[in-house]
Amino acid sequence: MKRQQLIAEIEQLDRQLAVRLDIVELSGALVRHQLRQVHPALLVGGGTLAGAATQRLGVERGWSMGLTGLRLLPVAQSLLPLLRNLGVAL
């Protein structure tokens, strides 16, 4: 490969990396925004329950339950506005 061609390829990869970093930053901002919407007691209680379940079930089973929870997260996110409209405080 010629030097100019290598430079062009590096610049293209640098632009792709910059776009990916922007996506990660936006995703982080979205997560922080969503966590601010959840009541702190719910976060602490959920963390406590997750810790207790992991301790009781073991790390492997706790890990698989966590992955299942991540798969169910879109369903939960779609239910939150419905629950808020029904007057359930979250």
Side-chain angles (χ1 to χ4, degrees):
M1 283 188 159
K2 293 183 180 181
R3 185 170 188 245
Q4 290 298 329
Q5 191 176 11
L6 288 172
I7 290 171
E9 187 176 332
I10 289 171
E11 288 174 351
Q12 178 187 10
L13 290 172
D14 189 45
R15 286 190 298 272
Q16 288 176 355
L17 180 60
V19 168
R20 289 181 182 184
L21 286 174
D22 288 343
I23 291 170
V24 169
E25 287 178 21
L26 287 173
S27 296
L30 178 62
V31 167
R32 286 189 299 277
H33 174 73
Q34 289 175 336
L35 283 176
R36 278 190 225 112
Q37 304 301 316
V38 178
H39 194 278
L42 188 59
L43 288 175
V44 172
T48 302
L49 287 175
T54 302
Q55 185 69 27
R56 177 142 174 94
L57 299 173
V59 174
E60 291 297 323
R61 185 168 275 173
W63 181 257
S64 68
M65 287 176 61
L67 290 176
T68 302
L70 284 176
R71 287 189 205 111
L72 294 175
L73 186 62
V75 174
Q77 287 176 334
S78 64
L79 288 177
L80 283 177
L82 175 65
L83 292 174
R84 285 189 181 131
N85 287 338
L86 293 175
V88 177
L90 293 176

